[in-house]
Amino acid sequence: MKKLISLLLTVSVILCLAACSGGANNDDTTEGSNDTGVTNPTADALLSDGELKTGMKEKFDQMEYAAYVDLFYNDNGASYEGKTFKKDGTFAVLYDAYSDVTRYYVWGYADNTKCCDYQWEFVMPEGTELPEPGSYIKLQGTMEKNDAALDGYWLKDVSLETTDSFKNAGFDMDMTTMSPTLVRVEIINMLQHKDKFADKTVRVFGRALTDNTIQHPYYNESWNMHFTKTDTVPAIGDYILLEGTYNMNGAGTVINTDKLTVIG
């Protein structure tokens, strides 16, 4: 299962390569270009022109995306091992149910089309106060090849600073604070290890595949999940925000929907 999830991260890069162009690699101990959205530390969703706006500060960086592609897709990890890097972006937490491990990431988008994302796993420093998922963080750490990392590499010996705190919306799993790639990986975990996620409150953004199925917001046949129908019936292709509880029943797994918002 871990190997499958690792492949999913790589597949995400391949999909994005068709839509986004990259830039040069990061230099050691330097940050890439930093084009961030405005900060509004609240988790209440703002809806505009079919785009989910959560109020999170966002990172857009072609150079970071190019470095991510270079390491994971071009198999050029040796050029990064043992080197120190500065990273900044959105903080996300992923529960790897297969390994029963909580993983920590700093992530961003290649550009403001949001079609392509990157995510760097890092080892949370001992004694560090855990930021709220969705907070904007800065960190510095050393790139290490390690089988314990989900995709084979992570940043260790990290110094971490939270620059913009994000207010938790009260969900056990608010997947709007995760990159689309990390959402894909978490959905796979949820489907493969249903009992570990049962009765968790969730919030997830995507497109309506049917009137009771949500899928990846940007790519077809990436992931999908059923949800219980509500009075709000989305049209196929609508962007939707689901809030509810993850349940198991005889028909499989569903999100028992408390609220469905059609974004566009």
Side-chain angles (χ1 to χ4, degrees):
M1 177 65 182
K2 180 178 177 180
K3 187 174 181 180
L4 171 61
I5 292 176
S6 179
L7 285 171
L8 285 173
L9 289 173
T10 303
V11 167
S12 177
V13 175
I14 295 172
L15 289 171
C16 287
L17 282 172
C20 298
S21 59
N25 295 341
N26 293 63
D27 294 328
D28 297 354
T29 67
T30 62
E31 298 176 58
S33 61
N34 187 3
D35 179 15
T36 57
V38 297
T39 301
N40 180 14
T42 174
D44 295 332
L46 305 175
L47 312 178
S48 175
D49 299 326
E51 180 182 358
L52 178 69
K53 297 182 182 295
T54 62
M56 293 187 302
K57 184 176 180 178
E58 298 175 321
K59 176 70 179 285
F60 305 101
D61 196 326
Q62 286 278 8
M63 293 179 67
E64 278 292 322
Y65 179 72
Y68 178 74
V69 170
D70 191 43
L71 194 158
F72 291 108
Y73 180 69
N74 296 338
D75 197 23
N76 198 23
S79 297
Y80 296 81
E81 289 179 49
K83 295 182 179 180
T84 300
F85 295 93
K86 292 180 180 180
K87 307 292 183 186
D88 66 295
T90 306
F91 174 65
V93 177
L94 182 142
Y95 176 55
D96 176 0
Y98 175 79
S99 301
D100 195 24
V101 169
T102 300
R103 300 186 182 276
Y104 306 102
Y105 291 86
V106 57
W107 68 271
Y109 296 104
D111 55 45
N112 58 14
T113 65
K114 298 187 178 182
C115 68
C116 305
D117 55 67
Y118 60 87
Q119 40 278 311
W120 302 108
E121 184 177 0
F122 66 92
V123 180
M124 182 63 66
E126 290 188 15
T128 299
E129 184 177 355
L130 196 68
E132 289 284 1
S135 296
Y136 199 88
I137 61 173
K138 292 183 178 181
L139 60 84
Q140 178 173 305
T142 303
M143 189 68 70
E144 179 187 48
K145 183 177 182 179
N146 195 309
D147 289 341
L150 183 59
D151 222 30
Y153 288 87
W154 60 18
L155 291 160
K156 68 171 186 175
D157 301 329
V158 167
S159 59
L160 175 68
E161 175 189 4
T162 301
T163 61
D164 293 272
S165 296
F166 190 63
K167 184 179 178 181
N168 191 292
F171 294 89
D172 296 324
M173 300 172 59
D174 187 348
M175 287 185 277
T176 66
T177 65
M178 302 167 68
S179 71
T181 294
L182 292 177
V183 172
R184 179 216 301 263
V185 175
E186 195 70 286
I187 292 289
I188 295 296
N189 272 292
M190 293 170 70
L191 294 175
Q192 294 291 329
H193 299 274
K194 305 174 182 65
D195 57 320
K196 294 186 178 182
F197 295 91
D199 300 322
K200 297 286 188 182
T201 56
V202 299
R203 181 162 71 161
V204 61
F205 171 63
R207 282 179 299 149
L209 180 61
T210 69
D211 62 354
N212 70 336
T213 308
I214 187 171
Q215 67 170 336
H216 191 290
Y218 309 117
Y219 299 112
N220 296 328
E221 301 179 2
S222 174
W223 61 262
N224 64 74
M225 184 176 291
H226 294 296
F227 58 88
T228 55
K229 294 183 179 181
T230 66
D231 292 337
T232 302
V233 181
I236 294 174
D238 276 351
Y239 288 98
I240 58 176
L241 179 67
L242 287 183
E243 300 175 356
T245 305
Y246 185 72
N247 292 125
M248 297 179 289
N249 57 29
T253 56
V254 299
I255 297 174
N256 186 22
T257 312
D258 295 325
K259 182 180 180 181
L260 186 156
T261 305
V262 176
I263 297 174

